[in-house]
Amino acid sequence: MLLVAVEDPIEKLKLIDTIQRLGISYHFENEIEAILGDIHKNNTPFTNVNDEDGDLYIIALCFRLLRQQGYNVSCGIFEKFMDDEGDFKKSLIGNVLGMLSLYEAAHLAIHGEDILDQALAFTTFHLKSGLSGMRPDHKDKVVHSLRWPLRKSIQRLTARYNISIYSREVFRNELLLEFAMLDFNTLQAQHQEELRHLTEWWKNLAEKLPYARDRIVETYCFLLGAHFEPQYTIGRTIGSKFTSILAGLDDTYDAYATVEELELMTKAILRWDTSPMDSLPKSMKVVVKSFIELLAEMELMTVEDGKSSLVQYVKQALQSITEAYMDEAKWREEGYVPTYDEYKDHGIVSSGSLVIHTVTYLCMGKYANKEVLDWISNVDVPKLVKASSIMARLMNDISSYKFEQKRGAVVSAVECYIKQYGTSEVEAVKQIIRDIENYWKDINEECLVPNVVPMPVLEVILNFTRVLEVMYADMTDRFTHGELLKDYVTLLFVDPICIDQQK
């Protein structure tokens, strides 16, 4: 279907969009790249559509697909939809699918693209206000997209939703639908098996860490969101183990041990030697020993490919975050409140994103190489990595700072912003949310080609950031309060798609 000669590129764009929404595009990456590359080279379908208002859907779709692929398409193509006063034409409001397409495209804005900022505000307002008069099928799509735009949602959840929607389309392709359902169930079975293994592993460890958060399923959701494809099973498994232990380490520094005990723990991790911890509680020793054992497992896993030396990058990243945790423990002990800017810089490491990304890259097969790990470990942290890491810190903070205050944890971004700028708590939160939106523009910008590392490497960080949007949506910490993820977990891991009912 992708390779058959079709003169109208618009049909191929629609097919690619459907394939991506159904979660099966990973089977056809080369074909999709070839088609979109040809469309970008020939500047179609931008030159093939003439109806001033009716082509909004296609223009926005093409823009979004090309931007997703890394092509820096000019947002100037949307100027034709503006009136003489520089506003979007009122005649567009009744074009629900066109407005929805423009809404999705606007989420790929980079800095300086005011027209896309206008587009997002325009489409959001009119799609919301027009819900009551929409056709039921249009309304379902709009409500879902307003809640979870494609750029900011977990791919597996998007696929599950769109398979259900596509099964009710009048002009659906039955072959495509059946393939998507079978593929989802096949992947789900693999993910279930990985989660079964992780659950058994965590049960043995959790008994020795009674104060640590029991979040193995939530942790696995993060790694699944980063890359769900079948070839990355080792990355998901090792990454989930590492992140679970890291959460235990975070809890230790946040609320369990004294500063004196934490200094000994920090010394042990920096030396990679547990002897400084001889006098410490057993549970603290378990955390450090678990890291040592897991990194030894990583070395065995990579020795066959001659990449065991790359584990050193993980060790260094772990040592860096341990020092960052120690800094925060001292801040808490001394009652020190850093400035907002200082806190964000510190959050690049303390958020945990850097070390988790490093572990993920180590387990990415052909992408696990010195060039990629040098890139993410650079002293001058890449802009993409920096943006995602700070977002992780800020999203976590505005969703959990009140809870953390009650348990005596270190100050959050909210207090730091208030200190630096002298605002109210409400205004501080509003500004932090604006900053998060600006960091999204950094991410969009850094995912455009050319780049120093391959697109799949960049997409891991993009996908991690998408998971953050789900985990901390509506300023709610779903990682700490895991029961709020129950419905998503059921869709991802418990209930397969009933193929006969969907068809």
Side-chain angles (χ1 to χ4, degrees):
M1 289 168 64
L2 278 167
L3 298 178
V4 67
V6 178
E7 292 199 11
D8 186 0
I10 291 174
E11 293 306 312
K12 286 201 172 182
L13 284 172
K14 291 179 179 178
L15 178 58
I16 289 172
D17 183 42
T18 301
I19 288 172
Q20 289 182 346
R21 287 174 181 269
L22 294 178
I24 52 177
S25 59
Y26 73 98
H27 291 288
F28 311 107
E29 291 173 353
N30 294 334
E31 292 84 353
I32 290 172
E33 170 58 34
I35 293 168
L36 292 177
D38 185 62
I39 287 174
H40 180 252
K41 179 181 177 181
N42 295 310
N43 200 32
T44 54
F46 300 136
T47 56
N48 288 4
V49 286
N50 299 304
D51 176 22
E52 287 196 0
D53 293 349
D55 61 2
L56 176 62
Y57 167 77
I58 293 301
I59 293 289
L61 173 62
C62 187
F63 176 88
R64 176 171 62 79
L65 293 180
L66 290 175
R67 275 280 176 101
Q68 286 175 183
Q69 204 69 15
Y71 294 109
N72 192 6
V73 188
S74 171
C75 62
I77 59 171
F78 295 112
E79 290 177 359
K80 63 180 289 185
F81 302 107
M82 312 286 283
D83 60 26
D84 294 337
E85 297 180 358
D87 299 319
F88 278 93
K89 296 176 181 178
K90 297 294 189 291
S91 57
L92 300 172
I93 295 173
N95 181 357
V96 176
L97 295 183
M99 291 279 283
L100 189 56
S101 186
L102 178 59
Y103 167 82
E104 293 285 8
H107 283 90
L108 283 96
I110 61 177
H111 293 286
E113 294 187 322
D114 295 342
I115 192 171
L116 291 181
D117 293 339
Q118 282 182 262
L120 184 58
F122 175 77
T123 53
T124 300
F125 176 81
H126 289 290
L127 287 171
K128 282 183 178 179
S129 59
L131 283 172
S132 60
M134 289 181 192
R135 287 168 32 186
D137 56 332
H138 287 175
K139 184 177 180 178
D140 287 346
K141 293 177 181 178
V142 169
V143 169
H144 183 82
S145 292
L146 288 172
R147 172 71 169 162
W148 302 120
L150 291 168
R151 190 64 167 178
K152 298 181 178 180
S153 55
I154 297 175
Q155 291 170 298
R156 287 286 84 192
L157 287 173
T158 297
R160 179 88 194 222
Y161 168 78
N162 281 301
I163 288 171
S164 176
I165 288 293
Y166 190 66
S167 69
R168 300 195 295 271
E169 295 280 352
V170 176
F171 299 108
R172 64 183 179 271
N173 183 296
E174 295 291 350
L175 184 63
L176 195 60
L177 175 61
E178 185 171 5
F179 177 51
M181 292 189 291
L182 289 169
D183 188 72
F184 186 94
N185 287 349
T186 301
L187 277 177
Q188 186 189 62
Q190 179 180 341
H191 298 154
Q192 287 172 340
E193 182 61 21
E194 293 168 9
L195 193 50
R196 181 195 62 79
H197 164 74
L198 286 167
T199 303
E200 291 179 354
W201 168 83
W202 176 248
K203 279 181 181 178
N204 294 327
L205 184 60
E207 292 175 357
K208 306 169 187 175
L209 292 173
Y211 63 87
R213 286 168 289 179
D214 185 0
R215 296 292 181 271
I216 190 63
V217 176
E218 293 81 357
T219 297
Y220 181 72
C221 284
F222 263 106
L223 276 297
L224 180 74
H227 44 202
F228 64 85
E229 297 87 345
Q231 67 267 32
Y232 296 128
T233 182
I234 293 176
R236 285 189 293 274
T237 303
I238 293 292
S240 296
K241 289 181 179 180
F242 188 94
T243 307
S244 296
I245 302 171
L246 187 66
L249 184 70
D250 186 22
D251 289 339
T252 304
Y253 278 84
D254 265 0
Y256 178 70
T258 66
V259 170
E260 291 74 21
E261 289 172 332
L262 293 174
E263 285 176 337
L264 293 175
M265 188 177 198
T266 304
K267 188 180 295 185
I269 294 175
L270 294 180
R271 292 180 179 178
W272 213 242
D273 173 16
T274 59
S275 58
M277 299 181 66
D278 289 344
S279 61
L280 296 184
K282 184 178 179 180
S283 55
M284 293 178 70
K285 297 176 186 176
V286 168
V287 172
V288 179
K289 288 179 179 178
S290 296
F291 275 128
I292 292 173
E293 291 171 2
L294 189 57
L295 264 70
E297 184 181 340
M298 291 182 198
E299 287 178 345
L300 286 174
M301 178 190 73
T302 53
V303 69
E304 199 171 302
D305 297 328
K307 298 179 179 179
S308 58
S309 62
L310 299 180
V311 177
Q312 185 67 26
Y313 288 90
V314 177
K315 185 186 294 185
Q316 291 168 356
L318 174 61
Q319 290 168 334
S320 293
I321 194 172
T322 301
E323 290 180 300
Y325 286 163
M326 189 68 241
D327 289 340
E328 292 180 346
K330 289 179 179 178
W331 289 353
R332 182 177 64 248
E333 182 75 6
E334 298 166 3
Y336 174 68
V337 180
T339 65
Y340 181 58
D341 291 335
E342 180 186 359
Y343 184 79
K344 285 193 295 180
D345 287 341
H346 192 268
I348 295 170
V349 175
S350 70
S351 68
S353 296
L354 259 173
V355 66
I356 296 169
H357 295 329
T358 305
V359 174
T360 303
Y361 289 144
L362 181 68
C363 305
M364 275 191 74
K366 65 180 181 180
Y367 300 111
N369 56 55
K370 189 175 184 300
E371 290 72 26
V372 169
L373 290 164
D374 278 342
W375 173 76
I376 194 170
S377 304
N378 198 310
V379 175
D380 185 12
V381 181
K383 189 176 180 180
L384 174 67
V385 180
K386 185 183 295 185
S388 180
S389 299
I390 294 175
M391 286 173 70
R393 179 76 280 153
L394 297 182
M395 287 183 181
N396 179 286
D397 280 10
I398 61 174
S399 66
S400 63
Y401 72 96
K402 291 184 178 179
F403 167 77
E404 296 292 351
Q405 285 174 342
K406 290 178 181 177
R407 72 168 186 167
V410 73
V411 294
S412 73
V414 178
E415 289 94 346
C416 295
Y417 190 92
I418 292 170
K419 175 189 176 180
Q420 182 167 347
Y421 296 103
T423 66
S424 66
E425 181 178 314
V426 172
E427 183 54 40
V429 171
K430 285 182 180 178
Q431 183 56 51
I432 292 170
I433 292 172
R434 285 192 286 267
D435 286 349
I436 290 169
E437 290 304 316
N438 280 323
Y439 284 121
W440 257 115
K441 291 183 178 181
D442 285 346
I443 289 175
N444 291 339
E445 195 169 83
E446 292 301 297
C447 285
L448 299 175
V449 291
N451 212 302
V452 295
V453 292
M455 185 61 77
V457 172
L458 304 178
E459 286 176 343
V460 166
I461 297 178
L462 167 64
N463 290 338
F464 263 118
T465 314
R466 286 168 156 167
V467 180
L468 292 173
E469 285 284 351
V470 175
M471 284 287 183
Y472 300 116
D474 306 318
M475 294 174 55
T476 301
D477 184 356
R478 290 171 178 78
F479 184 82
T480 298
H481 304 285
E483 67 277 4
L484 299 176
L485 285 176
K486 181 179 178 180
D487 291 343
Y488 300 147
V489 168
T490 300
L491 290 172
L492 289 172
F493 308 124
V494 180
D495 295 339
I497 293 174
C498 297
I499 295 178
D500 291 336
Q501 289 183 15
Q502 293 288 340
K503 294 174 67 179

